[in-house]
Amino acid sequence: MTNTQGTDGGDALVAAFNAVGADYLFCSSGSEWAPVWEALARRHRDGEPAPEYLDLTHETVAAGMATGYGLVRRRPQGVLLHAAPGLLQGSMAVHGALLAGVPMVVASSESTTYGDAPGHDPGGQWYRNLSVVGGPHGIAQPFTKWSTEAASVYTLPAMITRAAELARRAPAGPAYLNIPLEILLEEWDGREPKPVVAPGSTHSSPEEVDSVARLIREAANPVIVTETAGRETGGFEALVAFAEAWDIPVVEPDSAVCGNFPRTHPLHAGSDIGPWLDEADLILLVNCRSPFYPPSRRPGRAKVVVIDEVPQRPHLVHQVLFADTYLEGGVTNTLGQLTRRAKDLDERAVEVRRAAQAERRAAERSAIAAAETRAEEATGIDPVLVAATLRRLLHGQDAIVVDETITHSRVVRRHLQVADPDSYFYVQGGLGQGIAVALGVKLAARQRPVVLTVGDGAFTYNPVIPSYDASNAYQLPLLIVVFNNRVYKSMNLNHRRFYPDGAAADTGEWLGTDLHRLPRLAAFAEPFGMHTETVDTTEALAPALERALKAVAEGTTAVVDVLVTR
């Protein structure tokens, strides 16, 4: 074990993150991190290893980029925020990481002496403004997987190791450490932490898998429903092999948070689980948190098998699965075991459901084609045309789409037709994280084009200036496509739904939804030297997107503000 004398808690933190395999420290700067900056400067000077440090100017950008990076790389990174205010500012993005199942170690700081101890003066701001009763770890508890305080420089490296290991294990998510400033300034003996190994795998027993295989073999009309199978390493490919081996259709409901199964595959059965609730005799929930809505809408006659490493998500307040059987363990392994048991099938039953799925598939393809034809012939730019044009232009480019649309999310998924693993992610939690998440995805996959689809309302929630700064500073070019209907449509739809004959319907006074007053959204990128386009005609759409993609390929973020009709 190597010792470096004369170092402090800042170096202990850097050494620990280096040992857990963090590639990056995503930092929205605060005055407590001077010991970390000094440790990084020393390591850079002396040629010692350290995670790469990203200096970011907003907490949502820091946590959001760590989320995007973790979606692709699936390893915990470090996120450094400032005290309790910085933690609160970034809390939405940290909560989004919890919902998306992304591992990370988030840290911020507190003071424990408030200037009354000998040695370094932490600054009066801690006494007056920055500290909170109970410490920031109390604030973080509801939106993280694990939250505590590191109370000694001697336990700090092991605490970071523990936080990273907890964050990575299922269900993956962010862990939080409050690291007091005084601990960061305390002398450390320089013991390098032991590198962290990948977690071991968990498996369902062969007897349990055999039992489920019998259920599938006896089922006449089974269906697979999945939300996050594609988030697991190898999960996308394992689900394809499983569905093909047993000839079972796959539904990705609107609650799906990533691409789990090729939208172009003959067994893809769309997004609506509704018809299956009465028709299916076996529902296989594969990494599916909340398949039924409302939760009481239970299947009529189907048995429900839940295949998930941790079926009951601790962070969900209410979760109803109607399970008859659980297969718990690594989903990729479980699906592989079931695939190998796809023998002695009732060929007559398989042919019947194969024919039914072919009919459903033909109807869906026909409906997609009809919708795109109508969009091409419409006056003004229909959102369907935007998604279909993107699909055509991105074909064969190995692109990744990060989606932060709301009213247009179904259109984006349906008409983009993503067919490859790690090619589509839907931003989780509150709006305003999309640009940061897309930047993190780009950081993890620099060789692939990354596209953010976002509504105008969501776009205005994003910390746009800090996000553009990060894009330029770290050479992370994106294509940002804004579906701009000049309204908070989801809010307006709810008003109309709740009060169809109310005063607003009578007078036309729709409050809380009008965005016509906003300036040109693409213009915010101009001071950063980015490529900008505003499009309001169908003829201009494809050429504008082509120019934008060319700019991105040449290393410049491009923002295309598309004025859609609905």
Side-chain angles (χ1 to χ4, degrees):
M1 186 172 291
T2 304
N3 281 29
T4 303
Q5 297 299 324
T7 57
D8 59 19
D11 208 82
L13 181 147
V14 174
F17 274 112
N18 199 57
V20 302
D23 302 311
Y24 292 94
L25 296 176
F26 298 85
C27 184
S28 179
S29 301
S31 53
E32 67 266 45
W33 298 122
V36 173
W37 300 332
E38 178 64 19
L40 288 168
R42 185 190 65 75
R43 284 177 174 251
H44 295 159
R45 182 197 66 192
D46 297 345
E48 296 177 7
E52 187 170 342
Y53 176 87
L54 300 185
D55 222 342
L56 305 165
T57 55
H58 196 282
E59 290 84 356
T60 297
V61 177
M65 284 185 66
T67 298
Y69 191 86
L71 284 169
V72 177
R73 295 297 177 91
R74 300 178 175 89
R75 297 196 310 273
Q77 306 299 309
V79 178
L80 308 182
L81 307 178
H82 176 45
L87 176 64
L88 287 168
Q89 181 72 57
S91 61
M92 182 185 68
V94 177
H95 181 244
L98 179 70
L99 296 178
V102 174
M104 63 178 66
V105 178
V106 182
S108 70
S109 193
E110 185 73 88
S111 174
T112 55
T113 65
Y114 309 109
D116 270 345
H120 296 288
D121 179 7
Q125 72 273 15
W126 297 93
Y127 179 55
R128 293 188 294 268
N129 299 322
L130 296 182
S131 297
V132 294
V133 175
H137 46 292
I139 293 174
Q141 186 174 359
F143 54 85
T144 56
K145 186 178 175 182
W146 180 77
S147 175
T148 193
E149 179 181 62
S152 165
V153 72
Y154 299 106
T155 61
L156 175 59
M159 293 287 271
I160 291 173
T161 297
R162 174 166 163 75
E165 293 188 320
L166 281 167
R168 189 169 182 178
R169 279 159 174 77
Y176 172 80
L177 276 178
N178 169 26
I179 308 175
L181 175 57
E182 288 81 357
I183 300 301
L184 291 170
L185 291 167
E186 191 174 342
E187 185 176 347
W188 179 53
D189 60 15
R191 288 174 291 179
E192 290 286 342
K194 184 180 184 298
V196 172
V197 300
S201 59
T202 57
H203 299 203
S204 292
S205 71
E207 292 79 14
E208 291 170 319
V209 178
D210 285 340
S211 175
V212 171
R214 281 194 298 273
L215 288 175
I216 301 173
R217 195 171 291 111
E218 294 166 359
N221 194 23
V223 64
I224 298 165
V225 184
T226 182
E227 292 175 331
T228 64
R231 193 184 59 200
E232 309 300 323
T233 302
F236 189 101
E237 298 88 343
L239 183 58
V240 171
F242 170 59
E244 288 178 344
W246 291 92
D247 228 301
I248 304 174
V250 177
V251 173
E252 287 185 285
D254 290 335
S255 50
V257 305
C258 59
N260 303 288
F261 194 82
R263 287 258 168 183
T264 55
H265 197 286
L267 286 172
H268 199 287
S271 301
D272 187 7
I273 190 178
W276 297 94
L277 293 181
D278 294 323
E279 297 172 8
D281 56 357
L282 180 65
I283 297 176
L284 298 150
L285 301 180
V286 181
N287 264 31
C288 209
R289 306 162 302 167
S290 53
F292 311 115
Y293 189 82
S296 57
R297 192 185 181 197
R298 67 183 309 145
R301 63 188 182 93
K303 288 185 177 297
V304 176
V305 175
V306 175
I307 301 172
D308 200 322
E309 190 164 5
V310 184
Q312 297 295 334
R313 299 290 199 271
H315 62 267
L316 289 179
V317 175
H318 188 49
Q319 186 182 19
V320 181
L321 298 175
F322 297 120
D324 294 291
T325 301
Y326 287 105
L327 279 185
E328 299 186 38
V331 167
T332 301
N333 178 277
T334 303
L335 293 177
Q337 290 192 62
L338 287 169
T339 298
R340 291 190 291 273
R341 286 163 170 77
K343 303 172 184 176
D344 304 320
L345 278 61
D346 184 338
E347 291 300 330
R348 185 179 304 174
V350 169
E351 283 299 325
V352 169
R353 67 173 178 256
R354 187 178 292 156
Q357 172 58 16
E359 187 176 334
R360 280 188 295 267
R361 185 70 185 162
E364 173 68 359
R365 292 176 65 182
S366 177
I368 289 173
E372 293 181 2
T373 298
R374 289 193 300 272
E376 290 170 0
E377 297 171 349
T379 301
I381 304 176
D382 189 284
V384 168
L385 183 63
V386 183
T389 304
L390 276 173
R391 182 189 69 232
R392 177 172 60 82
L393 294 177
L394 296 176
H395 180 71
Q397 293 200 37
D398 194 26
I400 304 174
V401 175
V402 176
D403 187 18
E404 197 179 25
T405 60
I406 299 296
T407 54
H408 299 123
S409 60
R410 294 178 186 177
V411 168
V412 170
R413 283 194 294 264
R414 191 183 193 202
H415 293 274
L416 274 180
Q417 295 285 292
V418 173
D420 299 308
D422 289 339
S423 292
Y424 172 84
F425 300 103
Y426 190 74
V427 177
Q428 296 296 288
L431 297 176
Q433 308 169 63
I435 306 178
V437 172
L439 287 170
V441 168
K442 182 65 177 178
L443 184 66
R446 287 183 178 270
Q447 74 284 3
R448 300 175 66 182
V450 177
V451 180
L452 171 68
T453 53
V454 61
D456 52 325
F459 180 88
T460 61
Y461 283 129
N462 275 264
V464 173
I465 291 173
S467 298
Y468 287 168
D469 172 65
S471 174
N472 275 356
Y474 298 106
Q475 299 177 8
L476 301 171
L478 306 174
L479 170 57
I480 301 173
V481 180
V482 184
F483 285 66
N484 189 347
N485 57 8
R486 282 81 72 202
V487 66
Y488 283 123
K489 192 68 175 181
S490 61
M491 304 178 197
N492 184 255
L493 289 173
N494 265 359
H495 191 159
R496 293 173 184 270
R497 183 158 58 96
F498 297 153
Y499 302 98
D501 302 313
D506 184 48
T507 64
E509 185 182 8
W510 301 106
L511 301 175
T513 63
D514 186 13
L515 296 177
H516 280 87
R517 66 180 182 270
L518 293 178
R520 291 189 304 115
L521 299 184
F524 292 100
E526 291 172 0
F528 292 89
M530 295 173 174
H531 181 93
T532 65
E533 305 252 3
T534 300
V535 185
D536 61 1
T537 66
T538 56
E539 297 78 12
L541 177 63
L545 290 173
E546 287 173 346
R547 289 189 295 269
L549 281 167
K550 183 174 183 293
V552 172
E554 292 171 352
T556 302
T557 284
V559 183
V560 182
D561 184 16
V562 185
L563 307 185
V564 294
T565 55
R566 60 185 176 93

